[in-house]
Amino acid sequence: MTDLFNVDGPVLQFVNKIVYSVYLNILWFLCCIPVITVGASTTALFYVTLKISKNEEGNITKAFFRSFRQNFRQGTLIWLILLAAGIILGVDGYVLYHMRFENLFWTLCTAVFCVAAIAYAIVLMYIFPLLARFDNTTGAMFKNALFIGVRFLFCTVLMAAVYFIMLLVIVRIFTPAVIFGEGLCALLCSFLLSNILQLCQEKSGQHADAASETQQV
């Protein structure tokens, strides 16, 4: 029983990870203040939480800002694209909601909007963890985020539930829980994503080896 409360025991390890998530949430929020830096900040957050999920965190402050610098340009570009797409979807949703016509055209438009909104949510949840883990073009990041989110649908649903529950708790139940906010969500999602990203890394390595062998032949 006493082993549970050792420095390396599961209880204190769990507490440490929760404390890390609070600290990372503060870093993430401060680095998001200019708004344009949300992408780079979220990428840096997932870079660290993915390491924490594998017990490889090290110095989390240095790791956070190193990732922030390295992924600033691409993370900012991705965020601006997502922001523009989100604004367009928001306007479309507002128009569809206030122009409710019981006809085929409105039904088709609503169906297309729902599919686009789901695809947008999937990309939003996956693209920054992918950017934190892999080097790729921006277009490939969007494509892979959508593909992986659909491929591992159960994980996608669990991640969506994590964000929804956190939002519900903050807005309706216990507002001070905002101190955990995105930091805890990212940590929990990182535990869900860790094996999936490892599998993707192994597959990409196999493809790279196969391409190398082809070139040699």
Side-chain angles (χ1 to χ4, degrees), residues 112-132:
V112 171
F113 170 78
C114 290
V115 172
I118 291 171
Y120 178 83
I122 291 173
V123 170
L124 190 63
M125 286 189 292
Y126 278 88
I127 196 164
F128 294 115
L130 285 176
L131 180 58

Side-chain angles (χ1 to χ4, degrees), residues 117-148:
I118 291 171
Y120 178 83
I122 291 173
V123 170
L124 190 63
M125 286 189 292
Y126 278 88
I127 196 164
F128 294 115
L130 285 176
L131 180 58
R133 189 71 176 267
F134 301 102
D135 291 324
N136 214 330
T137 63
T138 299
M141 286 291 181
F142 276 92
K143 181 181 70 175
N144 291 339
L146 182 59
F147 174 79
I148 294 172

Side-chain angles (χ1 to χ4, degrees), residues 34-201:
V35 179
I36 197 175
T37 58
V38 169
S41 183
T42 305
T43 302
L45 174 64
F46 273 101
Y47 177 80
V48 179
T49 55
L50 284 168
K51 284 185 171 295
I52 292 175
S53 69
K54 299 190 297 181
N55 297 314
E56 299 173 354
E57 54 266 26
N59 189 315
I60 60 177
T61 305
K62 288 184 178 179
F64 182 93
F65 285 106
R66 181 171 62 250
S67 176
F68 185 90
R69 290 192 301 270
Q70 291 175 347
N71 296 294
F72 181 82
R73 180 176 297 179
Q74 191 172 17
T76 301
L77 176 60
I78 289 172
W79 165 242
L80 292 177
I81 294 172
L82 288 170
L83 182 61
I87 291 172
I88 293 171
L89 281 172
V91 172
D92 288 345
Y94 179 85
V95 171
L96 286 171
Y97 179 78
H98 289 278
M99 295 179 64
R100 285 168 290 188
F101 300 111
E102 294 182 1
N103 56 37
L104 181 60
F105 178 74
W106 183 87
T107 302
L108 288 174
C109 288
T110 303
V112 171
F113 170 78
C114 290
V115 172
I118 291 171
Y120 178 83
I122 291 173
V123 170
L124 190 63
M125 286 189 292
Y126 278 88
I127 196 164
F128 294 115
L130 285 176
L131 180 58
R133 189 71 176 267
F134 301 102
D135 291 324
N136 214 330
T137 63
T138 299
M141 286 291 181
F142 276 92
K143 181 181 70 175
N144 291 339
L146 182 59
F147 174 79
I148 294 172
V150 174
R151 170 67 178 81
F152 298 97
L153 194 57
F154 182 66
C155 178
T156 301
V157 172
L158 289 178
M159 289 172 63
V162 167
Y163 285 106
F164 177 78
I165 292 171
M166 179 59 73
L167 181 63
L168 184 66
V169 168
I170 292 172
V171 175
R172 301 294 297 274
I173 302 174
F174 187 64
T175 303
V178 71
I179 192 66
F180 298 101
E182 179 66 14
L184 183 57
C185 288
L187 181 62
L188 295 175
C189 289
S190 292
F191 280 107
L192 295 171
L193 286 169
S194 183
N195 290 334
I196 292 174
L197 295 182
Q198 183 64 36
L199 179 63
C200 292
Q201 188 171 17

